[in-house]
């Protein structure tokens, strides 16, 4: 049995990424896994924009940080499901990383090198795109997004980005929603 934490970041209940998350959730539940979906817009542990006056912020964790860090710590797999906004994740998700992937919990420095403390957790990223994935690939945007996630958001803390999936055409009329959900069934089984 795996412990799977799904994080979504879409303000509307009609956002397609919620349907993807629900599909992923259902498939893994059927397999007997412990699965949680956290919608960052709806959770009672919603976090304001990250801010601090001095480095004291590193010492005193908020109630929300404690909640999320426990969830991360207990997870074998984290799945981030979100739309691409202005070439990246919605800011509420970036804000979640700023708050919760903190020094001493997620990473430390040793001999001038960063040392990830969350090793052993695998990560899957699933995104939707208004435009074309093909164009994102030829203009290097796909690779840029993947590098940011793999090396910084995920790799920095020792976690392993196993796979990133991007589904496009949502705003150009070329999207096949049913086909995507069928693919998610296969992806969730991996
Ligand atoms: C603020 C905002 C920024 C967006 N930026 C991009 C973008 O940079 N590239 C792109 O292809 N689509 C962009 N989109 C389109 C979304 O990616 C697309 O609408 C979404 O993935 C479709 O899912 P939804 O119907 O569930 O919202 C943007 C949408 C919004 C609301």
């Amino acid at each position: 049995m795996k412990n799977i934490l799904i994080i979504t970041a879409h303000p509307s209940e009609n956002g397609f990424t919620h349907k993807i998350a629900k599909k992923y959730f259902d498939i893994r539940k059927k397999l007997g896994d412990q699965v949680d979906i956290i919608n960052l817009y709806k959770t009672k542990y919603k976090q304001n924009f990250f801010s601090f006056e001095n480095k004291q912020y590193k010492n005193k964790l908020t109630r929300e940080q404690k909640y999320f860090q426990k969830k991360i710590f207990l997870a074998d797999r984290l799945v981030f499901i979100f739309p691409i906004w202005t070439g990246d994740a919605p800011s509420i998700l970036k804000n979640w990383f700023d708050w919760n992937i903190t020094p001493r919990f997620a990473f430390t420095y040793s001999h001038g090198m960063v040392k990830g403390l969350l090793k052993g957790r695998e990560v899957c990223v699933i995104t939707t795109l208004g435009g074309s994935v093909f164009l994102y690939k030829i203009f290097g945007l796909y690779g840029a997004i993947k590098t940011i996630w793999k090396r910084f958001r995920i790799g920095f803390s020792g976690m392993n980005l196993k796979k990133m999936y991007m589904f496009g055409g949502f705003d150009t009329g070329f999207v096949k929603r049913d086909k995507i959900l069928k693919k998610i069934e296969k992806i969730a089984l991996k």
Side-chain angles (χ1 to χ4, degrees):
M1 190 192 85
K2 276 191 192 306
N3 185 327
I4 300 181
L5 178 61
I6 300 174
I7 305 277
T8 66
H10 195 295
S12 162
E13 301 216 337
N14 298 318
F16 192 71
T17 40
H18 293 308
K19 293 203 168 54
I20 293 177
K22 175 78 173 56
K23 176 64 78 183
Y24 198 108
F25 176 93
D26 289 345
I27 299 284
R28 293 308 308 195
K29 267 281 179 199
K30 263 191 209 154
L31 293 177
D33 289 333
Q34 157 65 41
V35 196
D36 271 341
I37 299 184
I38 296 177
N39 175 349
L40 293 182
Y41 282 95
K42 285 274 161 72
T43 172
K44 64 177 179 174
Y45 296 95
K46 195 168 171 181
Q47 292 165 302
N48 289 329
F49 270 108
F50 181 64
S51 65
F52 60 88
E53 291 301 327
N54 57 52
K55 297 247 170 164
Q56 289 302 313
Y57 87 96
K58 285 184 179 172
N59 298 325
K60 225 172 142 205
L61 293 179
T62 64
R63 175 183 91 106
E64 291 77 14
Q65 282 175 303
K66 284 182 193 156
Y67 171 78
F68 283 121
Q69 291 191 348
K70 189 170 176 199
K71 290 271 177 205
I72 296 166
F73 189 77
L74 293 175
D76 304 302
R77 179 187 294 179
L78 290 93
V79 186
F80 296 94
I81 307 179
F82 57 89
I84 292 290
W85 283 3
T86 327
D88 199 348
S91 47
I92 199 168
L93 179 53
K94 170 66 168 56
N95 189 51
W96 183 86
F97 278 89
D98 294 340
W99 269 112
N100 303 309
I101 301 299
T102 57
R104 290 196 298 280
F105 164 69
F107 61 89
T108 186
Y109 293 101
S110 148
H111 305 293
M113 303 279 283
V114 67
K115 189 175 158 215
L117 300 175
L118 295 174
K119 289 195 173 77
R121 289 160 189 80
E122 58 181 37
V123 176
C124 176
V125 168
I126 304 175
T127 66
T128 61
L129 199 62
S132 144
V133 176
F134 176 72
L135 290 181
Y136 258 56
K137 283 189 174 162
I138 54 175
F139 290 125
L141 293 165
Y142 180 91
I145 293 169
K146 191 165 178 189
T147 300
I148 296 273
W149 277 86
K150 193 172 176 59
R151 302 272 165 232
F152 297 98
R153 280 180 204 152
I154 303 303
F156 201 72
S157 56
M159 295 191 284
N160 176 26
L161 176 67
K162 280 201 85 175
K163 201 80 183 159
M164 181 175 101
Y165 301 92
M166 191 179 271
F167 298 103
F170 276 81
D171 294 355
T172 55
F174 285 102
V175 69
K176 293 193 175 83
R177 290 180 167 78
D178 290 347
K179 226 172 149 183
I180 293 172
L181 291 178
K182 282 262 165 255
K183 279 193 187 157
I184 296 299
E185 283 179 18
K186 289 192 184 138
I187 289 168
L189 286 173
K190 287 181 187 168

